[in-house]
Amino acid sequence: MKILNTRALRGPNLWGLHTAIQALVSCSGQEYFLNRMPGFEDRLRERFPQISSFPPDAALVSALELAALGLQAQAGCPVAFSRSVATLDPEIYQVIVEYTEEAVGRLAMELALELSAAARDDLPFDLSSALARLRDLDEEVRLGPSTGAIVAAAVVRGIPYRRLTEGSLVQFGWGSKQRRIQAAEMDSTSAIAESIAQDKELTKKLLDSAGVPVPKGRPVTDAEDAWAAACELGGPVVIKPRDGNQGKGVAANVETREDVLAAYHAAHEVSPNVMIEQYLTGQDFRLLVIGGRLIAAARREPPHVTGDGKHTIQELVDEVNSDPHRGSGHATSLTKIRLDEIALATLAQQDFDAGSVPRKGARVILRNNANLSTGGTATDVTDDVHPELAARAVAAAQMVGLDLCGVDVVCESVLTPLENQAAGVIEVNAAPGLRMHLQPSFGKGRPVGEAIISTMFDERDDGRIPIVAVAGTNGKTTTVRLIAHLLGLMGNRVGMTNSDGVYIANQRIDTGDCSGPRSARNVLFHPDVDAAVLETARGGILREGLGFDRCNVAVITNIGMGDHLGLNYICTVEDLAVVKRVIVHSVAPHGVAVLNAADPMVAGMADVCPGSVTFFAHDRHERVLANHLAQGKRGVFVDGDAIVGAKGKLRYRVALSEIPITRNGTIQFQIENSMAAIAAAWGLGISWEIIRRGMATFISDASTAPGRFNVFSYRGATLIADYGHNPDAIQALVQAVGSMPANRRLVVVSGAGDRRDEDLRQQTEILGEAFDEVILYQDDCQRGRADGEVLALLRDGLKNATRTTRTEEIRGEFCAIDAALARLNPGDLCLILIDRIDESLAHIARRIAEV
Amino acid sequence: MKHRDIRFLEILSLRGPNLWTYRPVLEAWVDIGELEDCPSNTIPGFVDRLCAWLPTLSEHRCSYGEPGGFVKRLQEGTWPGHILEHVTLELQNLAGTPGGFGRARETGVRGVYKVVVQAWQEEVTRACLHAARDLVMAAIEDTPFDVEATHARLREIAGRYLLAPNTSCIVNAAIAKERGIPSIRLSADNLVQLGYGSRQRRIWAAQSDRTGAIAQGIARDPELSARLLESCGLPVVDADEVPEGQDTRHSYRLLVVGGSLAAAARMDAAEGDSLHAVDVTEQVHPATASAACLAVRVIGLDIAGVDVLADDIARPLVAQNGAIAGVHEAPGLIHHMQTASGESRPVGLAIVDHLFPGGDTGRIPVVGITGSGGTTEVAHWVTEFLRLSGKFTGLACGDGLFLDRRRVEAGDCGTWRCGTHLLMNRAVEAAVLENSADVILGQGLAYDRCQVAVVTGIEPGRHYGRFYIEKPEQVFQVFRSQVDVVLPDGLAVLNAADPMVAEMAPLCDGEVIFFAVEPDLPVLQEHLANGGRAVFVRGGSLILASAAEELRLLPLAEIPFLSGNSSPERLKTVLAAVAAAWALGIANHVIRTGAETFSNEPADMTASDNSTPIFAPSIPLNA
């Protein structure tokens, strides 16, 4: 068994809405079925007892699949979905396993393969080290507890998110409505305010001016002045260098003249500027202020042990660490105490070492900070905080200018105002750790993530911009452009992706085929996008899934006879429909799927749509449409000389004569595109007035819609250039040009090598019924076909042509165009099926200019 | 025994508008002893020595109003106090703070002068004042003086204490007449508050309080920045695209403020490693400008510099292989202020306009209350009216510092320090400050301008004997400072029954509302006849009067504060406070409700919590 390739499906995909690893696995000979490998299952279960049960006749790949899922689950990842699917190739399977972290999913797949091999060959497999690797990797790559809690709160609110880095920078919402966080910082968190918070003296000065109690104090000039200041303050004092760090040169709880003088000199060695301030006695509290409200409060204690008069400090620490609640990372509510260098230095300050035996009841501090990650503890006291005390914390945050901060308070109790105790605010911390409030060591966790999200997003705002996803075999690009045009008329700056590029507010910012998830994500990241219309091609869906979790409107123009069949194990139109259906599946509960009722493959997708459906079809009597209308649901169809939107008794008409791209209703495929776009706009809540105005003002020419039925005039003949390259598209073009008067009809056509033989042949079969002369051309790029192979197939299709009287074969697209132009007389019509859109259009424009 | 030198008896730092000027000054009380008998023309060689050490003194106009005026005064004979003033200003000039206000005035004591010099920055001015004394004494006594070393030392002090150019360019644009936005420096660094109270914004060099920390982090990560910019279709410089030094493209710095292009400079290599900025703001192609603005939006900054490499900034970037080389937070403004061609883009103003759009001045209603007596009660009353109108009101007065209903500090808080604390407080939506004569004389006002000034009454005799004040005219000068700072759209509330107060009416830039018990005072009647407003008592009722109508607000009998045998002072308090509330635009029904409900003792009604905080604020503001 071999894994041929793995892919990460990062958005909604063929298999569901979850992120998943998809592996292409080959099995050879005897490996297919487990029951042909005696003892395999037993050996597998010996090595990984927690693996789910599977039927005895399961394929070996099922063992791989369930192992990859089970390993992740055992490592603590909340995953549940997996599948194995056979392909047409009897030796090849697709294995799909959900992941929460891509890297973990990939590793789990590798380890599952190792496990399977070990079970097959009866070799050892170290399960605990495998799980440890997965766990460690998960802890390394997944969001930290603070960011994770915020993201979780956003997900509950339906706010989409995307990690912008491997770190904790996260985008919430899309386009112009996006916000960002980075751990416990919001994008509105002021850099200046953070600088202020970092300057403890400045912070204290500002808090003092705002009437927030802070420890009294002042800078001192010399040792005698320090003593004088200590006397002014009365009681124990702290003496410290003004700009020191990590507690260097700081002496706390100093009272006697001798100690004050000594402490002054120690501080003076670190910095010439020495501060003296009141030593506040009491406990350390952290008050979390978000958006001007107190959200949580915790009492914090540094890691410590209590002496019993018998055991050494080392033994006491070991005793504390034996508590199963103490883990080594962020996953548990307590962390083990480390007896490291810092701890030993802290002990030394108290005249202890690891071997000392403190007397019974003595409290031995092992670190001068109360961070959970170094073994400290936090006890939730949110409900105890006196409103006046809370008001001071809020005032402190406001004065510093932080919308999200932790206010450190030293006081005996939070039950009474600070003013009634010898208490004060000693520090304001930007980007505070949230874990102590989310998972305090003791007491209730607080909804901190929710508070941050509700500060950034109003109650009804989910940060989403309207998204329209469009898929189908033909007409996607024009439909996308039409919908974008209508959204633009409403005043939106529209982001649009299609097979020509990425457009933001009508400006192309990227070129090439941009109908995949990467371009979609770029549009949704762009700060100037108010609405997005995304052409969603099959390739991206298969490769990576969708670039968004949900859309407001999904449009499927048609499936027809299909295109690109045979690639990526998509061999039938049914398979293709399942791929395109992914966008219908991603419609939001209040969203709309716009489906072609005349195409049975498309109409059938209505069943998977979580929202409502609007059907469109030329003929209102189309069975699916008629039934839908009869139930009072929305439908769009052609009635006489207008496209009509109907729901119950309501009728909205848009005259075909007012839709220039339909050429007064003569071009059938543009009517189809118009109906799809109108239905989508209706689904978005765009007014009919704007829809009518938009349809009337939409222009499709070589500059706005290159390769989409671009009509030119050349020496009195009519040229039509189009990118159509599958039987459905060619059928539609034949219909469209059929309505245009002409003396003689010529067509220039080639074929793409990656299409199936029958599809290539079929193209010219259709053309042979409608054109007098056919010019076949072949380009350099044969996409895997031998020289002349495509031309032969095209020629083959013309064998029984009823109309074509002349056929010519030419190498090179430009030469073929030139040959056709040379044969044209006034009144003739020539359809040029171009392949290299921009270059050929430029070539045609040059020839026209030469006339 | 008399001395023959210049002694500083006292150096007052007047940190706000004062007796002398609107700007902060140092006021030195100087005793020149026997030098009183030695005017400059009588000391042989003195004028020459002084002018040799400080040749630029020849620019000083002094009372003659033309360059050379001061030298002429020296030659004709002037006294050391006056000389000290000019020398201090000149030393400040040479240290980098040109211009400024100066005065020297005799006191009633022989040989004692008040020497006043504008203090751009207190420490710098203090150092200049001391250096000037030493320099003048050396010139008098004909002893050597190291002028160069003194300049160097003062320049070093100035460099340490003055705002850095990026910050001062913004602050100067804010406080200039065109914008009139007040500023408070919050730290020894470049942290400055623009505007007051809840309307304030903060800057720190070219960073605003809305410059996000996350965006700053992104800007400092070139790889991440480049990736995000690229994903939005912006051309980004590829690090290994062109070897350094071989890139023929020009390097440009574009300054983007509040979403639009504020300035652009081309950075040409000059001699050595220095760069030489050429202003190209007008030439930037609109597409290039919008690309720079988009880049700044993508990063998420409000003020940023965008480095661009391009052959020609006047063309779109894509057309010429142009690219963005980086987006910087807290960009340098100096390239746009000092271009090679000498042009200067108003980048400071662009930032100020971004922070305070639509001509906003960042001001909250500030009420200054002064007078010889009764001011504390008036301050409490005005505060209550403001509170009743829905504003979070701060009060700094004789019996404490109050935030809303909370007394934050007890004791006399009608001081520059407490007033400044209110104006720094981001919660404060309106501020009421009581200013005694001693505060105006010894500290200066806490605010540059105010919405409403109230002068309750003047009893000159109460102010004699301190600050060398001994005449009624001097007392008038002290109290008029309060009226001088009224904004053009502000109001002065003046006691019409006090002739000295009534006389201040023409000094006010804004409107005047008179108050008095008696409606028939000629000055009041004349004011009404000229279209002015007034508050008085008629028929036992409190009247709000304008030329057009007399509005009976409420009968005095319905004001509990005046019930029983209350003193005439109390009635005056109510009249002044009601006039101030009217001046603040508080609705009549709110004023009426307030007058009907305020309790007997104003101090009680404000202080809900009588407990004195254990931690009295002690860290000096300018520590």
Side-chain angles (χ1 to χ4, degrees):
Chain A
M1 187 164 66
K2 258 184 15 196
I3 294 180
L4 302 176
N5 68 47
T6 52
R7 282 184 173 144
L9 304 175
R10 302 185 175 102
N13 54 66
L14 215 48
W15 319 108
L17 298 175
H18 304 294
T19 52
I21 296 291
Q22 173 180 297
L24 201 59
V25 181
S26 77
C27 297
S28 57
Q30 292 302 302
E31 291 184 328
Y32 302 151
F33 296 104
L34 293 177
N35 51 14
R36 294 190 204 158
M37 296 171 65
F40 175 85
E41 186 174 348
D42 294 339
R43 291 195 295 276
L44 182 66
R45 291 197 183 281
E46 263 168 38
R47 286 161 180 77
F48 186 25
Q50 297 92 338
I51 194 166
S52 312
S53 59
F54 40 80
D57 59 345
L60 175 59
V61 292
S62 301
L64 177 75
E65 166 209 327
L66 293 170
L69 185 74
L71 286 169
Q72 290 188 79
Q74 289 303 316
C77 301
V79 290
F81 172 85
S82 68
R83 254 185 98 172
S84 301
V85 183
T87 67
L88 285 187
D89 184 336
E91 298 205 340
I92 302 214
Y93 284 81
Q94 286 182 309
V95 175
I96 304 96
V97 179
E98 186 184 354
Y99 70 75
T100 50
E101 286 299 332
E102 184 179 325
V104 177
R106 286 181 187 274
L107 178 60
M109 192 64 89
E110 280 170 34
L111 292 170
L113 187 70
E114 275 176 37
L115 172 63
S116 306
R120 183 191 59 201
D121 304 338
D122 201 6
L123 293 169
F125 180 80
D126 186 346
L127 178 65
S128 61
S129 103
L131 291 178
R133 276 177 71 191
L134 288 168
R135 243 182 244 120
D136 290 350
L137 181 63
D138 186 48
E139 174 140 352
E140 187 189 320
V141 295
R142 73 158 187 245
L143 291 168
S146 298
T147 317
I150 304 167
V151 168
V155 169
V156 169
R157 287 268 308 264
I159 297 166
Y161 79 98
R162 178 184 160 203
R163 288 176 76 170
L164 294 177
T165 59
E166 285 171 8
S168 52
L169 182 61
V170 177
Q171 168 192 347
F172 287 125
W174 291 322
S176 58
K177 293 180 76 178
Q178 71 182 286
R179 301 292 307 269
R180 294 174 191 164
I181 61 153
Q182 182 154 30
E185 281 174 303
M186 299 188 270
D187 48 13
S188 53
T189 302
S190 157
I192 287 186
E194 289 199 354
S195 303
I196 293 171
Q198 268 158 28
D199 183 337
K200 285 194 191 190
E201 291 312 318
L202 176 57
T203 300
K204 256 185 258 179
K205 193 181 93 176
L206 291 175
L207 299 193
D208 179 47
S209 76
V212 176
V214 293
K216 275 206 248 182
R218 65 173 173 91
V220 290
T221 51
D222 54 36
E224 281 305 324
D225 190 32
W227 175 237
C231 296
E232 288 160 24
L233 293 169
V237 295
V238 180
I239 295 172
K240 57 183 178 183
R242 212 179 142 164
D243 30 31
N245 60 354
Q246 292 180 342
K248 262 185 213 148
V250 178
N253 203 1
V254 184
E255 226 166 336
T256 65
R257 177 182 159 86
E258 193 186 5
D259 289 348
V260 167
L261 298 185
Y264 173 84
H265 291 299
H268 193 259
E269 273 183 26
V270 178
S271 161
N273 305 313
V274 177
M275 280 291 298
I276 180 163
E277 68 185 30
Q278 206 155 18
Y279 176 71
L280 300 182
T281 51
Q283 312 187 69
D284 290 324
F285 292 91
R286 165 62 67 83
L287 277 63
L288 183 70
V289 178
I290 300 172
R293 286 187 307 141
L294 180 78
I295 299 299
R299 187 178 68 240
R300 308 172 74 199
E301 285 191 90
H304 65 275
V305 291
T306 308
D308 60 4
K310 289 180 202 151
H311 294 94
T312 65
I313 290 174
Q314 176 72 63
E315 286 163 347
L316 292 167
V317 167
D318 292 345
E319 163 78 28
V320 169
N321 283 345
S322 67
D323 181 344
H325 291 111
R326 290 204 185 249
S328 48
H330 290 303
T332 48
S333 58
L334 287 163
T335 304
K336 288 188 194 305
I337 300 175
R338 292 194 299 275
L339 206 50
D340 56 8
E341 236 170 78
I342 300 173
L344 294 174
T346 313
L347 285 177
Q349 280 172 7
Q350 304 162 77
D351 294 325
F352 286 125
D353 59 37
S356 313
V357 178
R359 65 178 166 74
K360 194 167 181 184
R363 198 175 132 98
V364 180
I365 306 286
L366 293 149
R367 229 178 187 81
N368 284 321
N369 89 46
N371 289 340
L372 289 187
S373 58
T374 54
T377 60
T379 305
D380 177 69
V381 296
T382 310
D383 295 335
D384 293 349
V385 180
H386 190 280
E388 281 291 307
L389 197 156
R392 282 330 149 255
V394 169
Q398 185 184 33
M399 200 59 193
V400 170
L402 285 170
D403 49 9
L404 168 48
C405 64
V407 179
D408 284 345
V409 170
V410 173
C411 62
E412 289 298 341
S413 161
V414 290
L415 290 162
T416 52
L418 292 176
E419 288 79 4
N420 298 355
Q421 349 173 18
V425 171
I426 54 164
E427 202 173 330
V428 175
N429 301 275
L434 305 180
R435 188 177 151 213
M436 71 185 95
H437 309 296
L438 295 165
Q439 297 176 316
S441 320
F442 309 103
K444 259 194 255 183
R446 298 287 162 174
V448 171
E450 289 78 349
I452 293 172
I453 289 295
S454 66
T455 305
M456 290 198 289
F457 293 95
D458 289 342
E459 209 173 322
R460 290 174 177 209
D461 183 6
D462 59 9
R464 290 173 187 269
I465 58 171
I467 292 186
V468 180
V470 180
T473 299
N474 291 306
K476 297 185 289 277
T477 303
T478 301
T479 306
V480 160
R481 284 178 180 277
L482 264 170
I483 297 169
H485 178 65
L486 295 171
L487 276 166
L489 278 186
M490 288 186 73
N492 292 300
R493 294 166 296 172
V494 182
M496 172 172 86
T497 64
N498 60 31
S499 44
D500 308 335
V502 176
Y503 296 76
I504 307 291
N506 298 321
Q507 261 197 313
R508 175 142 77 166
I509 66 159
D510 199 358
T511 55
D513 185 352
C514 294
S515 52
R518 195 184 62 90
S519 300
R521 281 194 296 264
N522 285 349
V523 164
L524 297 177
F525 170 75
H526 198 292
D528 296 347
V529 171
D530 304 319
V533 188
L534 309 169
E535 182 176 329
T536 308
R538 43 176 274 153
I541 299 175
L542 289 170
R543 206 167 53 239
E544 211 188 320
L546 299 179
F548 49 88
D549 63 338
R550 258 199 234 161
C551 60
N552 300 65
V553 175
V555 180
I556 309 283
T557 56
N558 48 59
I559 298 283
M561 293 176 260
D563 194 358
H564 301 278
L565 292 179
L567 295 178
N568 299 105
Y569 302 98
I570 302 301
C571 302
T572 63
V573 287
E574 286 82 2
D575 292 343
L576 186 60
V578 172
V579 180
K580 310 248 178 202
R581 200 176 69 184
V582 172
I583 67 164
V584 177
H585 201 190
S586 76
V587 166
H590 298 290
V592 179
V594 172
L595 302 175
N596 187 338
D599 187 323
M601 284 294 159
V602 178
M605 295 179 190
D607 298 341
V608 303
C609 180
S612 59
V613 170
T614 302
F615 279 117
F616 70 94
H618 195 278
D619 181 358
R620 63 181 297 188
H621 303 298
E622 189 70 57
R623 192 184 52 81
V624 173
L625 174 61
N627 286 348
H628 195 68
L629 287 169
Q631 291 168 36
K633 295 173 181 168
R634 287 180 178 190
V636 175
F637 50 83
V638 176
D639 181 13
D641 56 358
I643 293 176
V644 175
K647 179 183 191 300
K649 289 185 173 149
L650 294 173
R651 293 288 180 279
Y652 305 97
R653 298 176 70 84
V654 185
L656 287 169
S657 59
E658 296 291 311
I659 308 176
I661 54 163
T662 68
R663 298 193 158 238
N664 220 357
T666 58
I667 302 183
Q668 183 55 39
F669 71 82
Q670 296 290 37
I671 296 176
E672 301 272 334
N673 293 339
S674 300
M675 286 192 294
I678 288 170
W682 193 12
L684 288 167
I686 298 178
S687 74
W688 285 89
E689 190 200 328
I690 287 188
I691 292 175
R692 285 189 196 100
R693 185 142 55 88
M695 298 310 289
T697 53
F698 182 74
I699 293 165
S700 179
D701 60 20
S703 64
T704 58
R708 314 291 152 186
F709 208 75
N710 306 135
V711 181
F712 307 91
S713 181
Y714 177 80
R715 293 180 190 274
T718 303
L719 300 184
I720 295 121
D722 195 284
Y723 181 56
H725 50 253
N726 59 51
D728 286 315
I730 286 172
Q731 187 73 62
L733 286 165
V734 165
Q735 184 279 329
V737 300
S739 66
M740 301 167 79
N743 297 342
R744 252 173 353 123
R745 292 167 186 271
L746 284 78
V747 63
V748 179
V749 61
S750 75
D754 59 357
R755 301 309 200 281
R756 297 183 304 183
D757 290 1
E758 61 258 46
D759 293 337
L760 289 167
R761 227 179 271 121
Q762 205 180 350
Q763 289 183 25
T764 38
E765 278 169 14
I766 298 166
L767 294 170
E769 306 294 311
F771 288 88
D772 302 303
E773 296 189 14
V774 177
I775 296 176
L776 303 173
Y777 70 90
Q778 170 184 317
D779 229 319
D780 305 336
C781 167
Q782 287 298 301
R783 301 193 198 179
R785 297 264 190 178
D787 188 26
E789 201 179 332
V790 171
L791 280 182
L793 288 165
L794 293 173
R795 207 184 310 126
D796 207 22
L798 286 168
K799 258 194 324 219
N800 303 317
T802 54
R803 178 153 181 181
T804 304
T805 53
R806 181 178 181 279
T807 308
E808 190 178 350
E809 290 177 22
I810 287 179
R811 276 172 195 270
E813 194 165 344
F814 291 178
C815 297
I817 293 170
D818 290 344
L821 295 183
R823 297 189 56 78
L824 287 178
N825 294 315
D828 290 348
L829 181 148
C830 178
L831 172 65
I832 305 173
L833 295 166
I834 54 179
D835 193 35
R836 289 151 60 200
I837 299 178
D838 292 338
E839 293 87 338
S840 294
L841 286 173
H843 184 75
I844 293 168
R846 252 194 321 273
R847 289 286 174 263
I848 290 171
E850 284 164 9
V851 174
Chain B
M1 200 176 79
K2 264 308 196 187
H3 57 92
R4 197 188 136 83
D5 57 9
I6 302 171
R7 290 182 180 177
F8 293 126
L9 302 178
E10 183 85 63
I11 299 176
L12 300 176
S13 181
L14 308 183
R15 298 189 169 109
N18 52 69
L19 197 56
W20 311 100
T21 171
Y22 288 99
R23 301 286 188 189
V25 295
L26 288 190
E27 177 182 312
W29 296 354
V30 173
D31 184 352
I32 60 171
E34 289 179 8
L35 291 175
E36 182 67 20
D37 301 321
C38 310
S40 53
N41 57 334
T42 65
I43 307 170
F46 170 74
V47 177
D48 293 341
R49 282 192 292 278
L50 197 59
C51 291
W53 286 341
L54 292 174
T56 38
L57 273 180
S58 62
E59 299 295 317
H60 290 215
R61 294 159 181 264
C62 197
S63 43
Y64 287 96
E66 57 184 32
F70 176 63
V71 175
K72 205 164 162 195
R73 289 285 307 271
L74 283 173
Q75 284 156 353
E76 290 166 359
T78 187
W79 279 262
H82 182 213
I83 301 168
L84 184 67
E85 170 212 329
H86 278 273
V87 171
T88 307
L89 288 176
E90 188 51 35
L91 289 176
Q92 292 209 85
N93 179 22
L94 295 168
T97 55
F101 173 92
R103 282 284 181 283
R105 289 287 180 268
E106 287 177 87
T107 66
V109 181
R110 183 181 153 82
V112 174
Y113 291 77
K114 285 182 176 179
V115 174
V116 180
V117 281
Q118 183 161 345
W120 302 99
Q121 207 289 327
E122 199 176 315
E123 278 78 3
V124 177
T125 304
R126 205 175 282 275
C128 290
L129 191 61
H130 282 100
R133 192 246 327 250
D134 296 347
L135 188 148
V136 173
M137 281 312 299
I140 289 172
E141 292 172 346
D142 193 10
T143 53
F145 189 83
D146 190 341
V147 183
E148 275 317 304
T150 304
H151 287 340
R153 187 171 56 83
L154 294 175
R155 272 196 300 270
E156 188 270 321
I157 291 173
R160 186 146 33 104
Y161 287 104
L162 292 179
L163 288 175
N166 280 334
T167 308
S168 63
C169 123
I170 302 166
V171 173
N172 290 339
I175 63 176
K177 250 205 194 84
E178 294 73 39
R179 290 308 316 256
I181 297 164
S183 79
I184 299 176
R185 185 172 181 175
L186 295 177
S187 76
D189 293 315
N190 286 283
L191 178 62
V192 177
Q193 165 185 338
L194 301 177
Y196 285 149
S198 61
R199 308 280 304 278
Q200 71 179 277
R201 303 293 308 273
R202 288 172 181 165
I203 59 154
W204 193 323
Q207 272 180 83
S208 86
D209 48 11
R210 290 198 197 149
T211 301
I214 292 180
Q216 201 174 55
I218 295 173
R220 287 177 186 168
D221 180 341
E223 257 174 64
L224 174 60
S225 298
R227 178 158 67 76
L228 297 183
L229 297 183
E230 255 180 330
S231 76
C232 290
L234 290 164
V236 175
V237 170
D238 180 354
D240 18 70
E241 183 185 347
V242 186
E244 204 172 338
Q246 292 178 30
D247 199 324
T248 55
R249 293 174 291 186
H250 288 296
S251 169
Y252 296 92
R253 291 196 182 155
L254 276 57
L255 178 70
V256 174
V257 176
S260 50
L261 182 74
R266 191 180 69 229
M267 307 307 293
D268 294 346
E271 277 170 48
D273 284 340
S274 68
L275 288 169
H276 163 126
V278 179
D279 180 32
V280 296
T281 311
E282 305 296 338
Q283 298 163 30
V284 180
H285 190 278
T288 302
S290 72
C293 295
L294 172 61
V296 173
R297 272 200 303 286
V298 171
I299 304 299
L301 290 165
D302 63 338
I303 302 170
V306 181
D307 283 358
V308 170
L309 289 180
D311 293 331
D312 183 359
I313 202 73
R315 291 194 290 139
L317 294 179
V318 277
Q320 51 168 328
N321 188 29
I324 292 171
V327 177
H328 308 290
E329 43 89 28
L333 305 179
I334 203 89
H335 304 299
H336 307 295
M337 296 189 291
Q338 298 171 1
T339 59
S341 49
E343 288 159 85
S344 171
R345 305 300 309 186
V347 287
L349 185 61
I351 291 174
V352 170
D353 286 344
H354 157 61
L355 297 176
F356 297 93
D360 178 16
T361 55
R363 291 180 184 276
I364 56 171
V366 171
V367 183
I369 296 166
T370 196
S372 297
T375 43
T376 306
E377 287 204 328
V378 174
H380 277 287
W381 268 79
V382 175
T383 302
E384 283 304 294
F385 282 127
L386 278 164
R387 279 181 36 74
L388 203 58
S389 76
K391 290 197 152 59
F392 184 104
T393 307
L395 166 64
C397 69
D399 59 9
L401 176 67
F402 299 84
L403 290 174
D404 215 32
R405 282 198 170 272
R406 184 167 74 97
R407 188 188 335 230
V408 172
E409 195 176 329
D412 183 1
C413 292
T415 58
W416 181 90
R417 180 180 65 83
C418 291
T420 304
H421 283 180
L422 289 186
L423 300 175
M424 281 163 60
N425 194 315
R426 298 190 128 182
V428 169
E429 295 168 337
V432 179
L433 295 88
E434 180 188 358
N435 297 298
S436 64
D438 284 7
V439 165
I440 298 172
L441 282 161
Q443 304 176 11
L445 298 172
Y447 42 88
D448 64 332
R449 308 293 299 254
C450 65
Q451 183 69 28
V452 173
V454 180
V455 186
T456 56
I458 301 177
E459 298 165 54
R462 288 175 64 167
H463 306 289
Y464 294 157
R466 294 191 304 283
F467 299 93
Y468 300 98
I469 297 293
E470 44 209 12
K471 296 179 209 145
E473 306 90 86
Q474 290 173 321
V475 177
F476 178 85
Q477 290 299 328
V478 172
F479 286 117
R480 70 165 280 185
S481 305
Q482 181 68 263
V483 176
D484 285 335
V485 297
V486 170
L487 287 159
D489 62 352
L491 297 94
V493 171
L494 302 177
N495 185 348
D498 184 323
M500 205 184 236
V501 176
E503 208 184 312
M504 291 178 185
L507 303 173
C508 180
D509 287 352
E511 195 194 330
V512 168
I513 297 182
F514 275 133
F515 70 89
V517 179
E518 279 299 316
D520 301 327
L521 289 169
V523 63
L524 193 150
Q525 284 304 324
E526 192 189 333
H527 182 65
L528 284 172
N530 291 331
R533 292 193 274 166
V535 176
F536 50 76
V537 179
R538 195 197 292 283
S541 283
L542 214 154
I543 307 290
L544 307 184
S546 59
E549 60 166 347
E550 285 194 4
L551 186 121
R552 215 170 130 263
L553 189 70
L554 81 171
L556 297 183
E558 288 177 15
I559 303 175
F561 184 67
L562 301 178
S563 64
N565 49 355
S566 78
S567 66
E569 282 304 311
R570 284 199 161 194
L571 180 52
K572 226 174 78 181
T573 296
V574 173
L575 290 170
V578 166
W582 197 21
L584 285 162
I586 295 173
N588 291 343
H589 71 272
V590 174
I591 303 178
R592 191 182 307 123
T593 306
E596 283 167 359
T597 56
F598 292 165
S599 73
N600 257 359
E601 296 304 321
D604 285 350
M605 63 196 183
T606 305
S608 64
D609 177 3
N610 282 328
S611 70
T612 305
I614 290 171
F615 290 92
S618 61
I619 299 168
L621 184 67
N622 284 335

